[in-house]
Amino acid sequence: MRPPRLRRTTRRPRRSSRSRNERKPTPTVTVGQENSADIEIHYFDHGAGQPVVLIRGYSLSGRAWDKQVPALLEVCYRVITYDRRGFGQSSQPAVGYDTFAADLAALMEHLDLHDAAPHDPDTTVLIIDSNPTSAPPPIPAPVTGPEFYPGAVYRINIDTDGDAHADVAFTFVFSEYEDGRQTGTAWYATGPEARQPGPVGEVLAQGIPVSFDGTARPVLAGRVRLFTGLRSDPFFADVEGALHGFQWTGHDDFADNNVDSIALEVPRGMFGGPVIGVWASISRRRSDGTLEQLDRGGNPTINPVINPDGEKNLFNSRQPADDVANYLQPWTEILKNAGGYSPDQARAAALQVLPDILRYDRTVPAAYPNGRGLTDAVYNVRYALLSNGKIPPSGLKPHDDLLDRFPYLGPPHP
């Protein structure tokens, strides 16, 4: 296969008497010798942050990555590409080409990349959205601005052993909102620390800028890629139709909505096994300094759809480990009455979402209820559960402003 053509986006200045050979040379690392000549590997090293080594197959130079490198630099990676022995600007010895692993090891040793590896796509993206800027009736209109609530504790909790308790936690606290600016601090906790309600553990990053202008510039927080800011709400639902006997109107009540988003891209080594359970929570400090949990959720639309109005705040204040004891019996009755389930069927349906933890087997592509994608029609799934499949889908489509790269959420609406 021939290498791709490179299209220039700017005109090269006209050369005068300067020779082509006077261009700044690319750096090299010596990986061997052929007679009296060094065998050199030419490489390109750009950016700063977590190192990513891009490797091409046989007969292609590192320039074949030219279209991918800018996207990786934009999201704060240090990007290393190189010409394999015999190709591009690297040496072309007559023999000795069974050296791919050794040449790569020499390059990584030369660049002191002992804590790096070739790019591993096995990462998990976690997103928590809060503080919607608008809400359909009968939900009261919000009274806050676009910022995260200062001093509140935003948490993403991960259960790695199936006991409905957090074994890993990512915690965020944000500053006051002043002159259109806000910053945050991120913590990472494991083991018993992950079950404490406050911000504890390793500080991943401080002074994280919150984006309000639509720019998406992630930062590296230790091993995690992180974004915080105002984004377009990916949720889509026909609330008006649900309030009027499920006569769908075709109107997406969230189409122009914005949310405050925290997005993380986490390497697999920070979770342990392949199967995890995830839920988010938000707590606010009382006047005496103690934390009051005001919101939590794992499976989408559980509390708003299933719990009666008088129970929603109580549900938000509780922990998933207590959900089966607190809600299996009442939710079984609700499902029996709403969907015409038999008692055993209703109990089994309730246990699909109890405890309220989003389960995700990372060996299988994410699609609700195995994890959740931004285009999953979770509103349809929830009403199908409630009605035993009697309520048809709303027909709404996912939003078309999603990005094809991290943080994936679209820019905020004006």
Side-chain angles (χ1 to χ4, degrees), residues 70-84:
L72 291 168
L73 294 175
E74 183 180 350
V75 290
C76 303
Y77 280 116
R78 175 187 175 189
V79 184
I80 298 99
T81 63
Y82 69 100
D83 297 340
R84 289 186 60 172

Side-chain angles (χ1 to χ4, degrees), residues 109-148:
E109 178 73 23
H110 175 70
L111 296 176
D112 195 27
L113 300 179
H114 297 288
D115 59 346
H119 178 52
D120 182 358
D122 188 8
T123 57
T124 298
V125 175
L126 306 172
I127 299 175
I128 170 176
D129 293 332
S130 63
N131 302 351
T133 55
S134 63
I139 304 171
V143 295
T144 62
E147 73 276 9
F148 291 95

Side-chain angles (χ1 to χ4, degrees), residues 257-380:
N257 201 20
N258 293 329
V259 286
D260 284 328
S261 296
I262 302 170
L264 302 87
E265 188 175 62
V266 184
R268 60 181 175 181
M270 299 182 78
F271 290 139
V275 179
I276 59 175
V278 183
W279 72 100
S281 61
I282 303 175
S283 301
R284 184 176 63 182
R285 293 202 179 276
R286 302 182 180 93
S287 58
D288 62 1
T290 59
L291 285 170
E292 176 187 15
Q293 183 173 288
L294 299 176
D295 199 3
R296 57 109 170 184
N299 291 283
T301 68
I302 285 292
N303 192 22
V305 170
I306 296 182
N307 274 326
D309 287 345
E311 294 291 324
K312 298 185 190 302
N313 288 341
L314 178 61
F315 179 89
N316 282 333
S317 70
R318 289 173 162 172
Q319 300 303 317
D322 302 320
D323 281 349
V324 172
N326 289 328
Y327 295 104
L328 180 57
Q329 190 278 329
W331 285 17
T332 297
E333 293 300 316
I334 289 172
L335 291 170
K336 281 171 53 180
N337 296 330
Y341 290 94
S342 70
D344 287 344
Q345 290 173 332
R347 186 177 188 277
L351 287 173
Q352 291 181 27
V353 291
L354 286 175
D356 184 20
I357 295 175
L358 182 64
R359 297 295 177 186
Y360 179 35
D361 181 348
R362 291 177 291 148
T363 66
V364 181
Y368 187 76
N370 181 53
R372 177 186 174 186
L374 295 176
T375 60
D376 291 344
V378 294
Y379 205 65
N380 294 340

Side-chain angles (χ1 to χ4, degrees), residues 3-9 61 63-67:
R5 293 178 180 267
L6 301 179
R7 177 178 297 174
R8 301 189 189 280
T9 57
S61 78
R63 297 300 301 272
W65 289 107
D66 278 7
K67 291 185 177 180

Side-chain angles (χ1 to χ4, degrees), residues 224-270:
V224 177
R225 198 151 50 130
L226 169 65
F227 169 83
T228 61
L230 191 67
R231 305 304 285 174
S232 170
D233 191 345
F235 190 65
F236 53 101
D238 184 349
V239 177
E240 190 68 23
L243 296 174
H244 293 85
F246 302 102
Q247 300 299 310
W248 303 122
T249 68
H251 175 68
D252 180 0
D253 291 276
F254 295 85
D256 299 319
N257 201 20
N258 293 329
V259 286
D260 284 328
S261 296
I262 302 170
L264 302 87
E265 188 175 62
V266 184
R268 60 181 175 181
M270 299 182 78

